Amino acid sequence: MKRIISFLLALALVFSLAACAAPAEKADDGKIQIVATLFPYYDFARAIVGDRADVTLLLSPGREAHSFEPTPLDAVTISESDVFLYNGGEGEYWVDSMLDAAGENIAVVARMMDYVDALDEEYVEGMQGADDHDHDHAHGSHDDHDHDEHDDHDHEDEHDSDEVEYDEHIWTSPKNAIVLCRAVCDAICKADPANENFYRANCDDYCAQIEELDTRFAALCESAPRRLLVFADRFPMLYFCREFGLDYRAAFHGCSGDTELSLATIKYLIDKVEDENIPVVYTIDFGTKKVAAVVSECTGAAVDTLYSMQTVSRADFDAGETYLTLMERNYEALRKGLSE
């Protein structure tokens, strides 16, 4: 609560200073302004709009998504957008307060977790903290969403975090990514109907590429001699594993802030890799590598990375990496883990 109050005070100061100062010169090129909090939605938006709109990624490349807190200048960026795309959930707890303070002029606001069925965050055998959770809990989904509420700036969160923790990495499933890409397109078209045909054609093309990649993943998983993935790291790939029928073991749950493992969890991972003859142990982008190094040293398993893509490195961003190219990396990493 103190962080929210401090943020709102700083936000009020920024807007009061802006009101007192002479207005800055800003080129009016007629393009709509799109702001996305996370890389997947930024990538979908830029693929859809081409050069007909400006797209800004709020979470700058190289920053850890789970520790992100917006600055007052971020609030100004959001307030000046025509389309604001955010994920929702506990990871973006600050959005409701931000929009209440600075979102009145945003034409279209889209909360991406409203467009797919969100899964409960899972704690599986061997995972750090798993013993503190009820393994008999039904890992379900929710689908009672009203998308139009968000275009009207009604941001009351339907997901009560005191009752259940949802896994927020919804885009890791390619099938979800197609739904989300189309939701992004709908939001953009609502803000800029003059270019709707152009946007929808680009969206169709991008979704076709995701669908082709999805087919390849499905074929790989169906023909693979093993179905188990071992993550010596956090586990943000629940939607991916659910889609393709893969089993998994992991050191930490999806959005865990923990960095130190118990000896029991490390031993469990080592034993599982040895017992199941697992050839590859996975880490994630921006994850810790030290647990994987220990497991690898003890078992001889290789270490590879699966990209969750909440954010990307500065090098990958500058190189123009996309959701598709990073998923291609995931395909190669998965092939090694399932087929070799």
Side-chain angles (χ1 to χ4, degrees):
M1 180 61 71
K2 288 182 179 179
R3 290 188 299 179
I4 294 292
I5 293 173
S6 297
F7 171 79
L8 291 176
L9 289 174
L11 179 62
L13 177 61
V14 166
F15 279 104
S16 65
L17 291 175
C20 295
E25 292 293 328
K26 182 178 179 180
D28 184 5
D29 55 10
K31 295 181 180 181
I32 63 169
Q33 303 297 309
I34 303 165
V35 174
T37 58
L38 301 180
F39 177 77
Y41 311 132
Y42 166 83
D43 181 62
F44 298 159
R46 67 178 176 177
I48 290 166
V49 303
D51 62 356
R52 298 194 184 184
D54 296 324
V55 186
T56 299
L57 176 60
L58 195 69
L59 180 64
S60 57
R63 287 206 59 181
E64 224 300 333
H66 298 95
S67 60
F68 174 75
E69 291 189 19
T71 67
L73 291 181
D74 290 329
V76 173
T77 299
I78 292 172
S79 72
E80 294 178 347
S81 66
D82 300 291
V83 179
F84 179 54
L85 309 170
Y86 74 107
N87 195 51
E90 286 298 299
E92 292 180 346
Y93 69 91
W94 49 268
V95 170
D96 286 350
S97 297
M98 172 82 75
L99 293 174
D100 287 342
E104 62 181 8
N105 294 322
I106 304 173
V108 182
V109 174
R111 183 183 188 274
M112 293 292 104
M113 285 187 72
D114 285 347
Y115 294 91
V116 299
D117 293 340
L119 301 173
D120 296 5
E121 203 164 64
E122 288 189 345
Y123 287 79
V124 296
E125 180 186 14
M127 184 180 286
Q128 186 88 348
D131 292 340
D132 298 329
H133 290 258
D134 183 6
H135 294 290
D136 294 329
H137 180 70
H139 302 295
S141 62
H142 64 93
D143 55 11
D144 54 340
H145 308 297
D146 185 347
H147 302 167
D148 294 335
E149 286 182 356
H150 299 277
D151 294 337
D152 295 332
H153 296 175
D154 182 0
H155 308 289
E156 183 176 355
D157 194 344
E158 297 173 0
H159 315 300
D160 187 347
S161 61
D162 291 334
E163 296 180 357
V164 66
E165 294 180 9
Y166 291 110
D167 190 302
E168 298 168 13
H169 307 89
I170 54 179
W171 58 85
T172 57
S173 156
K175 288 191 184 303
N176 276 0
I178 292 171
V179 173
L180 296 168
C181 190
R182 294 198 181 282
V184 168
C185 185
D186 288 344
I188 294 170
C189 289
K190 186 170 184 178
D192 187 16
N195 285 303
E196 179 172 359
N197 291 339
F198 176 81
Y199 295 150
R200 294 205 181 279
N202 286 346
C203 180
D204 287 344
D205 179 67
Y206 204 68
C207 287
Q209 294 180 68
I210 300 175
E211 188 169 359
E212 180 181 356
L213 187 59
D214 184 56
T215 301
R216 290 173 54 208
F217 271 116
L220 171 65
C221 294
E222 287 171 5
S223 62
R226 59 175 60 87
R227 318 285 300 174
L228 177 65
L229 305 180
V230 174
F231 288 77
D233 207 331
R234 291 199 304 257
F235 178 70
M237 305 298 289
L238 176 60
Y239 294 88
F240 181 90
C241 287
R242 282 288 186 91
E243 177 180 341
F244 298 113
L246 299 174
D247 195 9
Y248 72 91
R249 297 294 184 271
F252 305 108
H253 66 89
C255 289
S256 172
D258 295 335
T259 57
E260 297 297 331
L261 275 183
S262 68
L263 292 177
T265 298
I266 295 174
K267 182 180 185 303
Y268 176 87
L269 294 174
I270 291 171
D271 289 345
K272 178 60 69 173
V273 170
E274 289 182 333
D275 292 346
E276 301 286 344
N277 196 27
I278 300 296
V280 177
V281 174
Y282 292 104
T283 61
I284 63 167
D285 40 343
F286 297 91
T288 177
K289 311 299 181 185
K290 59 183 180 181
V291 178
V294 171
V295 176
S296 175
E297 183 177 352
C298 293
T299 64
V303 178
D304 213 329
T305 299
L306 286 175
Y307 290 82
S308 67
M309 290 176 283
Q310 245 179 324
T311 186
V312 294
S313 69
R314 171 55 66 180
D316 283 344
F317 185 84
D318 291 343
E321 298 290 348
T322 68
Y323 179 89
L324 287 170
T325 61
L326 293 173
M327 286 296 277
E328 283 284 357
R329 292 187 192 178
N330 284 351
Y331 180 89
E332 288 303 314
L334 191 68
R335 182 185 59 78
K336 297 174 184 176
L338 295 181
S339 301
E340 293 186 358

